[in-house]
């Protein structure tokens, strides 16, 4: 996959994942199922790339994800919202550097680094900001019962793992 189309795919995958967050719905139709598709897109754009390219692709994914997911922040402060989106993007995208360059390992490591990034987001900055987290998109989905045993992080892990599985099938 060439860099420009891959960059567009990375950004679209982030938007797709963000579209699973509440309150996006159409009548009784909910969009929880978009998150695994978005993570499938992220996994696919990371395949067969060098570390620097992976960092750029993850940065585009998370930038679009947080831009949509944290758009409500502009009601409080536009500069604060921009700074927060940039900080959250940098803080989470850097975890993609932990993904081994092996093709097979990518499918296993992407869900793991997504969870690690979420764990950091729950702590920083200033005590954490779990808003716009992928677990929120699963509130009306079939993965919600996982929260009883593993909390938000198990939901995020399974959501991202489903995405990696979809990418593996694709």
């Amino acid at each position: 996959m060439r860099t420009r189309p891959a960059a567009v795919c990375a950004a679209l995958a982030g938007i797709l994942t963000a579209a699973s967050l509440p309150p996006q719905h159409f009548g009784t139709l909910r969009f929880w199922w978009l998150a695994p598709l978005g993570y499938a897109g992220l996994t696919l754009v990371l395949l067969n790339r060098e570390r620097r390219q992976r960092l750029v692709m993850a940065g585009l994914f998370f930038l679009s994800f947080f831009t949509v997911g944290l758009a409500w922040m502009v009601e409080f402060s536009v500069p604060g919202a921009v700074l927060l989106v940039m900080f959250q993007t940098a803080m989470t995208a850097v975890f993609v550097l932990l993904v081994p360059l092996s093709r097979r390992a990518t499918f296993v490591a992407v869900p793991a680094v997504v969870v690690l990034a979420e764990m950091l987001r729950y702590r920083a900055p200033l005590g954490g900001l779990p808003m716009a987290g992928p677990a929120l998109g699963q509130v009306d989905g079939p993965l919600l019962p996982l929260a009883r045993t593993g909390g938000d992080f198990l939901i995020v892990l399974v959501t991202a793992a489903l995405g990696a599985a979809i990418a593996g099938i694709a």
Side-chain angles (χ1 to χ4, degrees), residues 12-102:
L12 289 175
I15 292 169
L16 202 63
T17 306
S20 73
L21 299 173
Q24 277 69 274
H25 58 84
F26 185 73
T28 58
L29 180 62
R30 307 289 188 227
F31 297 112
W32 61 267
W33 48 274
L34 292 176
L37 295 179
Y39 284 121
L42 173 64
T43 304
L44 287 172
V45 298
L46 294 180
L47 289 173
N48 302 322
R49 299 212 179 274
E50 297 172 9
R51 292 198 188 283
R52 192 175 128 259
Q53 292 173 322
R54 285 179 170 200
L55 186 60
V56 170
M57 295 302 153
L60 290 168
F61 174 87
F62 286 112
L63 178 63
S64 60
F65 176 74
F66 291 126
T67 299
V68 173
L70 295 172
W72 56 271
M73 297 275 307
V74 298
E75 296 290 326
F76 301 102
S77 168
V78 173
V82 171
L83 287 173
L84 181 65
V85 166
M86 298 306 286
F87 180 75
Q88 296 278 306
T89 298
M91 187 174 66
T92 53
V94 74
F95 277 93
V96 80
L97 296 175
L98 297 173
V99 176
L101 294 176
S102 159

Side-chain angles (χ1 to χ4, degrees), residues 99-162:
V99 176
L101 294 176
S102 159
R103 183 176 175 87
R104 286 185 184 175
T106 301
F107 294 107
V108 175
V110 168
V113 299
V114 167
V115 171
L116 287 174
E118 277 300 294
M119 288 177 162
L120 179 60
R121 285 188 61 243
Y122 272 53
R123 302 285 184 257
L126 307 171
L129 182 71
M131 302 304 292
L136 291 176
Q138 302 304 312
V139 167
D140 53 3
L143 300 180
L144 184 62
L146 295 174
R148 290 184 194 144
T149 53
D152 291 2
F153 301 129
L154 182 58
I155 293 174
V156 172
L157 179 66
V158 172
T159 303
L162 285 171

